[in-house]
Amino acid sequence: MNPHSIIWNRDLVEEWLQTATQVDRALPPVKPGMQTNKMTFYRTWVEMLWDELDPDNHPQPVFHPTNAQVSMWEEVVLRWLPMVDSTTDRKILWWRSAFISWVKIGKLLDIERHTVANRYNRALDELVSVLNSLRYKNAKKNT
């Protein structure tokens, strides 16, 4: 499945984001190898998002992702989320896709739950429009 040929809508983007959060929970944690124990190891910002939710409760794998689901995760984490300008909006998109309540997200970010919902909807709409514009550019380039 080529993500550049899909006509994106809110439901489809939400589905991909939810799949990405589920896959991220199922992926093994990144650890330094036996011979790299003296090197500094940096964690990704997605791993740190889980710690912001609850540092003592690490998410447990719920399912074993397929290759297609891991590809969806790569697309979302490596391409889509960097397109969102605000770090706060990235957090809101990621946490809400992980089925975290509006109230808990609002408390974590110290903003009102209505504001969280509005920012989520705005960020999702902007992401859909950017993805569709990229699709249009790729279609125009191929003709």
Side-chain angles (χ1 to χ4, degrees), residues 8-27:
W8 296 101
N9 59 28
R10 283 179 57 97
D11 295 334
L12 191 57
V13 170
E14 280 181 319
E15 180 183 328
W16 277 53
L17 285 166
Q18 290 168 1
T19 301
T21 57
Q22 289 176 337
V23 169
D24 193 67
R25 287 180 178 181
L27 290 176

Side-chain angles (χ1 to χ4, degrees), residues 37-53:
N37 58 359
K38 294 185 180 181
M39 295 176 61
T40 305
F41 199 76
Y42 297 100
R43 299 177 58 214
T44 63
W45 69 271
V46 174
E47 290 173 324
M48 290 185 230
L49 283 177
W50 292 120
D51 289 343
E52 280 187 47
L53 282 175

Side-chain angles (χ1 to χ4, degrees), residues 41-130:
F41 199 76
Y42 297 100
R43 299 177 58 214
T44 63
W45 69 271
V46 174
E47 290 173 324
M48 290 185 230
L49 283 177
W50 292 120
D51 289 343
E52 280 187 47
L53 282 175
D54 191 3
D56 299 329
N57 183 17
H58 294 285
Q60 299 296 319
V62 179
F63 72 105
H64 298 288
T66 63
N67 290 339
Q69 290 170 330
V70 172
S71 296
M72 291 169 99
W73 174 83
E74 288 176 347
E75 183 74 22
V76 169
V77 170
L78 300 176
R79 291 193 180 93
W80 292 10
L81 291 177
M83 287 187 228
V84 179
D85 292 333
S86 169
T87 307
T88 305
D89 289 346
R90 287 182 200 168
K91 290 179 180 182
I92 292 170
L93 279 174
W94 188 260
W95 286 337
R96 187 58 190 170
S97 298
F99 301 105
I100 307 301
S101 71
W102 297 119
V103 174
K104 186 168 185 175
I105 295 171
K107 286 180 181 178
L108 288 167
L109 299 174
D110 198 30
I111 53 179
E112 183 107 9
R113 64 184 170 90
H114 300 292
T115 306
V116 172
N118 291 336
R119 288 183 75 161
Y120 173 80
N121 289 325
R122 188 187 70 231
L124 192 62
D125 289 339
E126 287 176 7
L127 188 58
V128 169
S129 67
V130 167

